[in-house]
Amino acid sequence: MPPFELTATDFRQFGEPSGTFCLITGEAGRDTFRCRPGDGYQRVLPMTLPAGAALADLLTDEIPADAHVLVACPGQFLDSPAPEVLGKRKLAVLPAGSTPLTTAQVRYYLTAAARTDAGSQDLAAGLFFERVERTDRLLVVDDDTGSEAEFDHTAGDCVWNQQAGVLSPGEQQLAPGGKIGVMPAEINTFDASARLLGLNGTLTLSGWPIVHRSDDPGDAPEQKRLFSELASLVAHPVQLTVVAGVIEAVTTADSAAGPAVEALDRLLGEDPRYRVVWELGFGLNTDMDALPANCGPNEVYGARSGVVHLGLGITPHTRFALAFLCPRSSLLTADATAVLGRRLDTYRGRMNRVSRASCGCH
């Protein structure tokens, strides 16, 4: 198969092209991808990250201090470099280690990253935060099942993280980009006592699940089995009853959702940490589809007007980290103004962007 052709200037999340564009692949992908600079970059620097090597070391030793860096290393687990290591570089990473991605899937997500309109994501994120800041109380509703959960984002500690829009020097982001999330602690930490205290009510899970694992290859068979059990959620919804950010019950009115209910009940019984809703997330990427498989990059999927998703667990503290897309749900303000999701009439205006500089593990 001939190498997959990429053009550096297509990746608009890096902003204005200049200097060096660096494409880092794993050893298996060394001859799989080819990247040309396009207009604006002086050169493309192809690099290979050996299995087991640290991305931070490669950045420090080999990559120019102001480079724009795209990383696609399927099957390799990567830790986000510290700010002092990243320096003024801009970094975008395809999350391709914690879930199994085929070559075709990697190509699809890189193509999606190249066509993602980062400027429009900036505007969408700004509008999102503007609406959220106007109200203390948000609602997550599913019109098909009638479920409703309230989220008071002023209760307790909340950390908002943006993985969307145009990168500034020293920032790192997922590729494709397009996600906002709120958590009870910093993204790279785990506090067993942290809670989204303001989250109460019933949430409906109704889309493709994502099952992340850590770097222990022995977990791969169980990861595959767990995803298979949870995949019934696509057609058969399940409800979670949440009190102060903790799951109290898993229920369904659809008997065909039995495998998913049983799998969730088993996880909650085996490790109570899965009961904590670790992230309430919002996918903003409207330039891609969610692939029908266990694919980590699905997490940024935004359908037409944004997608709510839920995160449970965090590796390596828990054996798996789970994300559930909820494409039928909508996020509303207390006065029923649509912020994101099915009820939102598509709109883009001139808004500000809020950015954070870390994106965890991939």
Side-chain angles (χ1 to χ4, degrees), residues 2 11 24 34 36 54 64 78 90 96 100 118 130 139 154 164 224 234 260 278 288 296 315 338-339 349:
F11 295 91
I24 300 176
R34 181 182 298 153
R36 51 181 179 265
L78 309 176
K90 298 180 181 181
E130 181 180 280
L139 300 174
T154 68
K224 182 177 181 180
V234 177
W278 190 249
M288 60 173 277
T315 57
V339 177

Side-chain angles (χ1 to χ4, degrees), residues 134-273:
R134 289 177 181 171
T135 182
D136 293 343
R137 190 167 62 95
L138 297 166
L139 300 174
V140 180
V141 300
D142 183 300
D143 290 329
D144 290 350
T145 64
S147 70
E148 180 177 306
E150 177 182 296
F151 178 49
D152 179 354
H153 61 86
T154 68
D157 294 326
C158 292
V159 179
W160 292 88
N161 183 272
Q162 180 177 323
Q163 296 283 320
V166 179
L167 288 159
S168 295
E171 290 185 345
Q172 53 187 295
Q173 197 179 98
L174 301 174
K179 171 185 169 181
I180 292 171
V182 58
M183 289 160 282
E186 291 289 344
I187 191 170
N188 284 330
T189 65
F190 180 76
D191 181 351
S193 65
R195 302 285 187 273
L196 290 175
L197 294 174
L199 184 60
N200 295 277
T202 304
L203 295 161
T204 295
L205 311 181
S206 61
W208 284 104
I210 302 168
V211 182
H212 299 277
R213 68 172 177 87
S214 61
D215 58 0
D216 182 353
D219 286 337
E222 178 61 19
Q223 177 191 35
K224 182 177 181 180
R225 182 172 77 96
L226 181 56
F227 172 78
S228 178
E229 293 171 331
L230 295 173
S232 63
L233 291 169
V234 177
H236 309 287
V238 167
Q239 283 73 47
L240 303 180
T241 302
V242 179
V243 177
V246 176
I247 299 171
E248 296 287 329
V250 182
T251 59
T252 184
D254 188 339
S255 60
V261 172
E262 292 173 8
L264 286 168
D265 278 337
R266 184 179 69 248
L267 282 174
L268 300 182
E270 291 174 351
D271 189 342
R273 291 176 295 182

Side-chain angles (χ1 to χ4, degrees), residues 42-91:
Q42 296 174 6
R43 62 169 180 163
V44 169
L45 178 64
M47 300 293 296
T48 300
L49 182 68
L55 176 59
D57 292 340
L58 187 63
L59 289 172
T60 300
D61 298 338
E62 304 286 346
I63 310 301
D66 59 352
H68 297 173
V69 185
L70 174 64
V71 182
C73 297
Q76 294 179 230
F77 286 80
L78 309 176
D79 289 329
S80 289
E84 60 270 20
V85 172
L86 186 57
K88 294 183 178 180
R89 301 174 186 90
K90 298 180 181 181
L91 176 65

